């Protein structure tokens, strides 16, 4: 049985925007205290979650909850629980989910941010086919910057159409997904398998 080639760090390197420099990091308390007299700025900060009582002094934390696939042709979205142990997540590579060929689908993610603001979250994904060295598909999607809140954030990426045909169905695929921020902190990095079929 052939196996997909391992994904390298170069495959998952986020695109660098020329001239972009990451700003100086400030705590939620520091940002909330700025410009107290500007009412509109205070409302804007409140909309970012800066008025919430954050765990002052605690490090920022992003907790990934689920990665999901949705489609109009799917009766119930397919969901991967990202809070599982690393051992359970590792099994997802060997137990592929089934994606129907030739349909439009979207991938989404839910996550919680705790304690401090996280800036420049990005979702990176590289897909390789069993036995092939080259990358079949690469996705890089900006999630954005988020303040701490208890309610999970949900981000749905642009729709894609799954490949179709006998050749597409004849193998299995491995996707490596990663969530990284502007500070190059990796919040999630795992592999999961999928195969294409005539039905979900």
């Amino acid at each position: 049985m052939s196996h997909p080639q391992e994904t390298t760090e170069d495959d998952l390197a986020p695109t660098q925007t020329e001239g972009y420099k990451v700003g100086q990091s400030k705590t939620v308390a520091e940002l909330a205290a700025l410009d107290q007299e500007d009412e509109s700025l205070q409302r804007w900060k409140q909309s970012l979650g800066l008025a919430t009582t954050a765990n002052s002094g605690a490090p920022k934390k992003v907790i990934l909850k689920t990665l999901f696939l949705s489609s109009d042709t799917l009766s119930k979205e397919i969901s991967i629980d990202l809070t599982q142990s690393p051992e359970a997540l590792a099994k997802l590579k060997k137990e592929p989910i089934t994606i129907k060929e030739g349909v439009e689908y979207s991938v989404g993610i839910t996550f919680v941010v705790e304690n401090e603001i996280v800036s420049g979250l990005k979702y990176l994904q590289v897909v390789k086919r069993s036995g092939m060295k080259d990358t079949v598909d690469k996705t890089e999607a900006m999630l954005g910057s988020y303040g701490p809140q208890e309610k999970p954030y949900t981000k749905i990426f642009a729709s894609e159409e799954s490949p179709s045909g006998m050749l597409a169905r004849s193998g299995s695929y491995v996707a490596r997904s990663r969530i990284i921020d502007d500070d190059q902190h990796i919040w999630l990095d795992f592999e999961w398998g999928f195969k294409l079929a005539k039905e979900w």
Side-chain angles (χ1 to χ4, degrees), residues 99-105 127 129 136-137 160-170 173 194-198:
I99 298 175
K100 185 177 179 178
E101 67 174 348
V103 297
E104 196 169 298
Y105 70 96
V127 177
R129 186 178 170 142
V136 175
D137 186 42
E160 295 184 49
E161 185 174 323
S162 59
S164 61
M166 189 173 71
L167 186 59
R169 290 192 312 270
S170 65
Y173 302 82
F194 68 92
K195 60 184 178 180
L196 295 166
K198 290 186 176 183

Side-chain angles (χ1 to χ4, degrees), residues 53-121:
T53 53
N55 188 355
S56 184
K60 66 183 169 187
K61 189 174 182 182
V62 178
I63 302 168
L64 286 301
K65 298 288 191 177
T66 59
L67 181 75
F68 60 89
L69 278 77
S70 59
S71 173
D72 291 341
T73 63
L74 188 59
S75 59
K76 181 182 172 192
E77 73 182 22
I78 298 170
S79 184
I80 298 172
D81 178 4
L82 299 175
T83 62
Q84 301 178 72
S85 69
E87 295 79 21
L89 283 174
K91 289 180 184 176
L92 296 172
K93 184 178 176 180
K94 294 181 174 89
E95 300 168 0
I97 61 173
T98 300
I99 298 175
K100 185 177 179 178
E101 67 174 348
V103 297
E104 196 169 298
Y105 70 96
S106 296
V107 174
I109 194 160
T110 59
F111 59 95
V112 172
V113 175
E114 291 183 350
N115 305 327
E116 295 292 342
I117 296 168
V118 63
S119 63
L121 274 183

Side-chain angles (χ1 to χ4, degrees), residues 26-38 41-42 45:
K26 292 193 181 288
T27 67
V28 170
E30 288 172 329
L31 289 171
L34 292 173
D35 303 308
Q36 289 289 329
E37 69 286 346
D38 189 334
L41 187 57
Q42 291 305 316
K45 288 189 222 177

